[in-house]
Amino acid sequence: MIPYGKHHIEEDDIAAVVDVLRSGLITQGPAVEAFEHAVAQYVGARHAVAVSSGTAALHLAALAAGVGPGTTLITSPITFVASANAGLYAGGKVAFADIDPETINMSPNALASALEAHPDTKAVVPVHFAGLPCDMPAIKALADKAGAAVIEDAAHALGATYPDGRRVGCCANSLMTIFSFHPVKAIAAGEGGMITTNDDAVYRRLLRLRSHGINKLDDPFVFEGQAFTGDIQNPWYYEMQELGFHYRISDIQCALGLSQLGKLDAFMKRRRELVANYDAAFSGCEHCRPAQSDRIESSAHHLHVLRIKFKELDISRSEFMMRLRAEGIGTQVHYIPVPWHPVYRSIGADPASCPRAVDFYAEALSIPLFVDLTDEEQARVIQSIQSLVARQRV
Ligand SMILES: *Cc1c(COP(=O)(O)O)cnc(C)c1O
């Protein structure tokens, strides 16, 4: 069975993990900081904070952006549920700004309307769908005008570049950017996430929130009298200064992430080759086209999503997927529009409020794209889809 996505692990990745296991420090040792520094340097951000998952990263970022009761977080309807859930975790409300049908990213026009409808917005969370960067200057300008912070959900976009050549994660047009190291993403840490920022105060807040809200670095003490005996700082003393979480990540995971990061550019190169093959193969297909064609060279190519006119082909997506599965080819749908989920419906989300997302959802199919996909396997995928489309048309 060829899956739609999969990690790529080599012997040196395994050795990096084994080294940690032999080192005596299996959590909160040197690998966490080394991984943070390497990611910050790679993307060009001042700070990076590693956490236990991309979801944890979104939760802490929402809190650090000031989302809470009586405020709103706006995100894209075409994303994994975690992008939206961050707003609910923080005690806020969630609203959606529809996608641009050519990029499948948050549309700045739709964001302008959503900001008008929700003047209490504290955070805007654009999602670089499938690794294609959003129009960040436009999104940042709108968020600034509304007094909202921008948190980029770059779970798909480690290795992607903006049109100006800088890397996604540099936070030139955002307060924070989050990444995920779930095995299906660009690099794997088993599970893991990262927040990058250029803001020193946000960085300190994230460090505290990651570990129970306990003071970090040289944070001033609230109760100086408890912290000192005379002029000497009490060696046992720490303060929980706000309610935080245990969202730390281990050295075991970070050693794997660090080893994988060194291969990211090679991973990107292979993903680009595979996408070029798909684009060449499907360029003449009138019933299936790539979902994203604009500025595609800057994408991290996390997913390859086709838009297939199932209706015109007179086949259900379910049937299409089942027939591919019978030939050993796995596919997936990214994503069910978030406002369609029962939890969001129950808090008043309108499933028809994002018509572009609904249109996209009806036609979307993610086909296999991962580093280990061989040319032969890809040819099989192409052949199977082409013959399925051709068979349906007669
Ligand atoms: C994977 C993903 C997340 C969550 O990351 P985890 O590490 O799985 O918690 C958030 N947003 C998007 C768009 C994702 O694809």
Side-chain angles (χ1 to χ4, degrees), residues 325-347:
R325 186 180 296 175
E327 296 181 35
I329 296 164
T331 55
Q332 188 49 279
V333 177
H334 298 95
Y335 290 94
I336 301 157
V338 179
W340 286 29
H341 283 286
V343 164
Y344 284 93
R345 292 292 295 279
S346 77
I347 54 177

Side-chain angles (χ1 to χ4, degrees), residues 2-20:
I2 304 172
Y4 82 87
K6 187 173 174 287
H7 58 273
H8 171 90
I9 300 281
E10 292 170 313
E11 282 307 317
D12 60 338
D13 297 314
I14 294 168
V17 172
V18 171
D19 284 349
V20 170

Side-chain angles (χ1 to χ4, degrees), residues 146-169:
V150 177
I151 302 166
E152 297 173 69
D153 183 338
H156 298 181
L158 183 62
T161 50
Y162 302 109
D164 68 5
R166 281 186 286 190
R167 286 218 170 97
V168 167

Side-chain angles (χ1 to χ4, degrees), residues 282 285-292 304-318 320-321 324 331-333 358-368 381-382 384-386 388-390 392-393:
F282 294 121
C285 177
E286 63 177 296
H287 291 91
C288 54
R289 63 178 174 96
Q292 300 169 305
H304 194 66
V305 183
L306 291 180
R307 285 187 82 146
I308 302 179
K309 300 202 174 305
F310 296 106
K311 240 192 196 137
E312 289 178 21
L313 288 170
D314 198 27
I315 184 171
S316 71
R317 175 165 49 196
S318 178
F320 200 95
M321 291 177 78
L324 286 175
T331 55
Q332 188 49 279
V333 177
V358 172
D359 289 348
F360 167 72
Y361 173 56
E363 297 183 348
L365 192 70
S366 301
I367 63 175
V381 171
I382 291 167
S384 294
I385 293 172
Q386 280 175 338
L388 201 45
V389 169
Q392 284 308 124
R393 279 163 65 193

Side-chain angles (χ1 to χ4, degrees), residues 7-16 35 42 158-159 186-188 255-272 371-372:
H7 58 273
H8 171 90
I9 300 281
E10 292 170 313
E11 282 307 317
D12 60 338
D13 297 314
I14 294 168
F35 188 37
Y42 182 85
L158 183 62
I187 63 169
L256 178 54
L258 189 56
S259 176
Q260 290 257 298
L261 185 64
K263 302 168 186 193
L264 179 59
D265 290 339
F267 289 176
M268 289 298 131
K269 183 166 168 289
R270 179 60 182 157
R271 286 176 176 274
R272 270 197 299 274
V371 172
D372 284 344

Side-chain angles (χ1 to χ4, degrees), residues 52-56 58 79-80 82-83 127 153 155-156 178-182 185 191-193 302 335:
S52 51
S53 68
T55 302
L58 281 161
T79 183
F80 185 53
S83 321
V127 180
D153 183 338
H156 298 181
I178 75 92
F179 295 99
S180 164
F181 311 115
H182 179 278
K185 307 292 164 73
E191 295 283 358
H302 165 57
Y335 290 94

Side-chain angles (χ1 to χ4, degrees), residues 53-355:
S53 68
T55 302
L58 281 161
H59 182 186
L60 298 190
L63 290 169
V67 179
T71 72
T72 297
L73 175 153
I74 297 176
T75 190
S76 167
I78 297 296
T79 183
F80 185 53
V81 291
S83 321
N85 292 351
L88 301 185
Y89 293 159
K93 295 169 287 181
V94 173
F96 299 93
D98 205 357
I99 56 166
D100 174 314
E102 295 308 311
T103 63
I104 320 303
N105 284 334
M106 177 185 280
S107 147
N109 286 336
L111 175 61
S113 314
L115 284 167
E116 232 164 78
H118 302 277
D120 58 1
T121 299
K122 282 282 182 209
V124 174
V125 183
V127 180
H128 305 304
F129 180 78
L132 182 68
C134 296
D135 183 352
M136 291 313 301
I139 289 169
K140 175 70 158 55
L142 290 165
D144 278 353
K145 220 172 69 189
V150 177
I151 302 166
E152 297 173 69
D153 183 338
H156 298 181
L158 183 62
T161 50
Y162 302 109
D164 68 5
R166 281 186 286 190
R167 286 218 170 97
V168 167
C170 69
C171 299
N173 284 298
S174 62
L175 184 59
M176 289 168 272
T177 301
I178 75 92
F179 295 99
S180 164
F181 311 115
H182 179 278
V184 87
K185 307 292 164 73
I187 63 169
E191 295 283 358
M194 188 85 75
I195 308 153
T196 59
T197 185
N198 295 321
D199 186 295
D200 296 341
V202 164
Y203 172 62
R204 285 165 170 274
R205 180 108 193 266
L206 292 171
L207 288 181
R208 286 194 298 268
L209 286 171
R210 168 174 75 176
S211 195
H212 308 279
I214 291 169
N215 62 309
K216 294 289 166 204
L217 305 177
D218 54 354
D219 282 342
F221 291 106
V222 175
F223 298 137
E224 291 268 334
Q226 292 291 322
F228 291 90
T229 301
D231 286 344
I232 314 280
Q233 189 179 317
N234 294 326
W236 71 86
Y237 189 74
Y238 58 87
E239 283 179 344
M240 188 181 83
Q241 298 182 331
E242 66 178 315
L243 185 63
F245 302 86
H246 175 185
Y247 280 166
R248 295 188 306 266
I249 185 171
S250 71
D251 258 40
I252 301 170
Q253 293 161 298
C254 289
L256 178 54
L258 189 56
S259 176
Q260 290 257 298
L261 185 64
K263 302 168 186 193
L264 179 59
D265 290 339
F267 289 176
M268 289 298 131
K269 183 166 168 289
R270 179 60 182 157
R271 286 176 176 274
R272 270 197 299 274
E273 280 170 13
L274 290 165
V275 168
N277 294 342
Y278 276 140
D279 283 347
F282 294 121
S283 66
C285 177
E286 63 177 296
H287 291 91
C288 54
R289 63 178 174 96
Q292 300 169 305
S293 48
D294 191 29
R295 292 187 288 116
I296 199 72
E297 66 288 344
S298 65
S299 177
H301 297 299
H302 165 57
L303 301 170
H304 194 66
V305 183
L306 291 180
R307 285 187 82 146
I308 302 179
K309 300 202 174 305
F310 296 106
K311 240 192 196 137
E312 289 178 21
L313 288 170
D314 198 27
I315 184 171
S316 71
R317 175 165 49 196
S318 178
E319 177 76 22
F320 200 95
M321 291 177 78
M322 298 299 242
R323 290 210 201 162
L324 286 175
R325 186 180 296 175
E327 296 181 35
I329 296 164
T331 55
Q332 188 49 279
V333 177
H334 298 95
Y335 290 94
I336 301 157
V338 179
W340 286 29
H341 283 286
V343 164
Y344 284 93
R345 292 292 295 279
S346 77
I347 54 177
D350 175 2
S353 65
C354 295

